[in-house]
Amino acid sequence: MFVKSRGEHASKHVLPKNLALLLCFASFCAGMFFSNRTWMVPDAKGIPWTSRTGGKQFVDYDRNIVVKNEGNSSGDISGSQHSILTMDKAISDLEIKLMASRAEHETIQKDPTMSEGVKNIESILKRKYFMVIGINTAFSSRKRRDSVRATWMPQAEKRKKLEEEKGIIIRFVIGHSSTSGGILDKAIEAEEKVHGDFLRLQQHVEGYLELSAKTKTYFATAVSLWDAEFYVKVDDDIHVNLATLGVALARHRKKPRVYIGCMKSGPVLARKGVKYHEPEYWKFGEVGNKYFRHATGQLYAISKDLATYIFINQNVLHKYANEDVSLGAWFIGLDVEHVDDRRLCCGTPPDCEWKAQAGNICAASFDWRCSGICRSVERIVEVHERCGEDKNALWSANFVQTMRTSS
């Protein structure tokens, strides 16, 4: 008959057991291939999760570290704020260095008269110096320069030794005459060939009313040439004891922004025709007012950060009639420590002599009434003999303890 049993019909549609297992395994493999999932544990490094206490925790599976961050922990907040402030300071310092580097590069590129030494400055390993002393001088001051060379400024091999062993750079600072390449400039060039102790300011034209501009250019140029802790400006009719000056500055070497000198606050002179007349007197308030505190112009020193600040911002720093006032004005509003050190403004004998006999040797001596040593060419030798420090004081002074080489 044509009727077949139910079991017989079903047996024709049943797959072999081995084939079924093979198909299952093939399906599994296909699923793994197309989904590209291998069932690995996801990388949870740095994934935050909330603990039962409400604080956040971060898990680092690579190091098996659980870092807890409780939301209400004032100590952690304080630590975070400290870290942020530290990072901000580091970033600020790097920005200053970057801006200084860019400004220096632009200055060198724009000024075709820069010396070869300055042009190659980026390829030269800069040495760390202790201080750079710039002696402000003029074309007519040849005798003053010679009197300084004959007293407190080391010459020839001794000056070279001073630079190498003590890290002290000393240069007479002068710009150019209004007639570039004229007889005045040639006289300085001839003097430079003999002594080799000038810093020529290529972009500055000499003039009494241009002292503020000269001071600004000096600091900007000095900080671009020498990497020092301090930059000093001194007039060429002042007597200086180098070792005592170095000791005075060394006390402040850990301060990033320090302005050192004999601080004063003189009257703002509004009347025309008088010495030290201030054309912009109205900016200082009512007639008869005094200037803000600033270092007297005969000698002052600033730290590297402040010299760098001048270098970066030299194109926008305002110049007043008096250069010492201008320098003080540039630091108004900055976080700068003003140091009033009276050893930097002693009188000439007998004042400095009495102090030396008492063991309080002066760093600088001059006559206030002359804004320098009166008749300095004739008298500076006397001041040096009566108020000068011991001949071995400079060479025995320990300025080298922080000297290092930096790139």
Side-chain angles (χ1 to χ4, degrees):
M1 302 295 284
F2 294 102
V3 178
K4 295 185 180 179
S5 66
R6 184 175 180 179
E8 186 178 353
H9 178 78
S11 64
K12 291 184 179 181
H13 295 82
V14 175
L15 295 174
K17 182 178 181 180
N18 293 337
L19 181 59
L21 291 174
L22 181 62
L23 289 174
C24 289
F25 181 73
S27 298
F28 174 77
C29 291
M32 293 291 292
F33 176 78
F34 287 107
S35 64
N36 195 27
R37 297 183 182 272
T38 58
W39 298 98
M40 293 180 64
V41 179
D43 184 8
K45 183 161 95 174
I47 296 178
W49 56 282
T50 305
S51 66
R52 293 182 180 179
T53 59
K56 289 186 178 181
Q57 299 183 352
F58 293 82
V59 182
D60 189 337
Y61 284 101
D62 290 344
R63 300 182 181 178
N64 295 323
I65 297 175
V66 178
V67 182
K68 296 183 179 181
N69 181 16
E70 299 296 337
N72 297 324
S73 175
S74 60
D76 287 349
I77 293 174
S78 177
S80 299
Q81 291 175 343
H82 176 73
S83 299
I84 292 172
L85 290 174
T86 302
M87 185 176 294
D88 285 345
K89 184 180 183 304
I91 293 173
S92 178
D93 291 342
L94 289 173
E95 287 177 342
I96 289 176
K97 291 180 180 179
L98 178 60
M99 292 174 67
S101 178
R102 287 177 175 173
E104 179 180 336
H105 181 72
E106 290 176 359
T107 301
I108 294 172
Q109 291 295 323
K110 291 179 180 179
D111 187 2
T113 63
M114 281 285 191
S115 66
E116 290 300 319
V118 178
K119 290 181 180 179
N120 298 328
I121 198 169
E122 294 181 356
S123 63
I124 298 175
L125 186 65
K126 277 191 174 182
R127 177 184 171 181
K128 183 76 175 180
Y129 291 93
F130 174 52
M131 63 177 169
V132 175
I133 301 175
I135 307 173
N136 181 43
T137 192
F139 289 111
S140 59
S141 299
R142 173 63 189 265
K143 290 183 178 181
R144 284 187 180 183
R145 291 191 291 273
D146 286 341
S147 69
V148 169
R149 293 182 180 117
T151 52
W152 62 267
M153 181 181 179
Q155 293 299 295
E157 292 301 316
K158 286 188 177 181
R159 183 165 60 84
K160 183 178 180 181
K161 180 182 178 182
L162 184 67
E163 296 177 3
E164 295 177 349
E165 296 186 7
K166 302 300 179 181
I168 299 177
I169 303 290
I170 307 177
R171 296 289 188 275
F172 287 105
V173 181
I174 194 167
H176 291 271
S177 65
S178 56
T179 306
S180 182
I183 187 172
L184 296 177
D185 291 313
K186 290 181 178 179
I188 294 296
E189 291 170 3
E191 191 176 345
E192 165 68 6
K193 289 181 180 179
V194 175
H195 298 283
D197 55 7
F198 280 93
L199 170 60
R200 301 298 303 274
L201 304 179
Q202 304 294 338
Q203 298 178 332
H204 176 73
V205 177
E206 286 291 320
Y208 180 77
L209 298 179
E210 298 298 327
L211 288 179
S212 293
K214 184 175 183 178
T215 299
K216 180 170 63 174
T217 305
Y218 157 62
F219 283 121
T221 304
V223 78
S224 68
L225 290 175
W226 297 289
D227 182 10
E229 295 182 62
F230 296 99
Y231 298 84
V232 182
K233 177 264 177 182
V234 60
D235 289 338
D236 61 5
D237 55 353
I238 306 298
H239 180 267
V240 178
N241 283 321
L242 292 173
T244 306
L245 175 61
V247 170
L249 299 185
R251 294 179 179 179
H252 308 286
R253 63 183 356 141
K254 292 185 178 180
K255 301 172 183 177
R257 293 172 299 279
V258 62
Y259 172 35
I260 307 169
C262 290
M263 299 296 163
K264 66 175 185 178
S265 179
V268 180
L269 302 179
R271 188 161 60 89
K272 293 183 179 180
V274 299
K275 190 176 183 179
Y276 305 127
H277 165 63
E278 178 56 71
E280 297 180 271
Y281 63 89
W282 59 273
K283 289 185 178 180
F284 298 92
E286 300 299 327
V287 175
N289 280 358
K290 291 186 176 183
Y291 287 112
F292 41 78
R293 288 282 174 184
H294 61 278
T296 188
Q298 287 81 4
L299 186 151
Y300 45 72
I302 61 176
S303 57
K304 180 183 177 181
D305 280 6
L306 295 182
T308 302
Y309 172 80
I310 294 174
F311 176 75
I312 294 172
N313 299 283
Q314 56 184 307
N315 292 328
V316 295
L317 294 176
H318 184 71
K319 302 183 295 295
Y320 289 100
N322 302 299
E323 51 98 6
D324 52 355
V325 173
S326 295
L327 185 72
W330 299 335
F331 301 148
I332 292 293
L334 301 183
D335 186 12
V336 175
E337 180 173 348
H338 291 56
V339 177
D340 182 20
D341 193 334
R342 310 313 289 185
R343 289 175 297 174
L344 275 59
C345 55
C346 294
T348 56
D351 179 53
C352 59
E353 186 176 22
W354 290 341
K355 291 177 180 176
Q357 292 173 353
N360 300 317
I361 299 176
C362 296
S365 301
F366 58 89
D367 298 306
W368 281 103
R369 61 190 177 90
C370 296
S371 298
I373 298 176
C374 298
R375 297 181 290 108
S376 65
V377 174
E378 294 83 13
R379 295 185 60 235
I380 195 170
V381 173
E382 176 196 357
V383 176
H384 184 65
E385 291 175 349
R386 297 174 64 179
C387 300
E389 58 198 359
D390 185 83
K391 293 181 179 180
N392 296 321
L394 178 59
W395 307 110
S396 61
N398 186 18
F399 301 132
V400 76
Q401 58 183 348
T402 60
M403 303 302 293
R404 58 183 174 82
T405 301
S406 63
S407 59

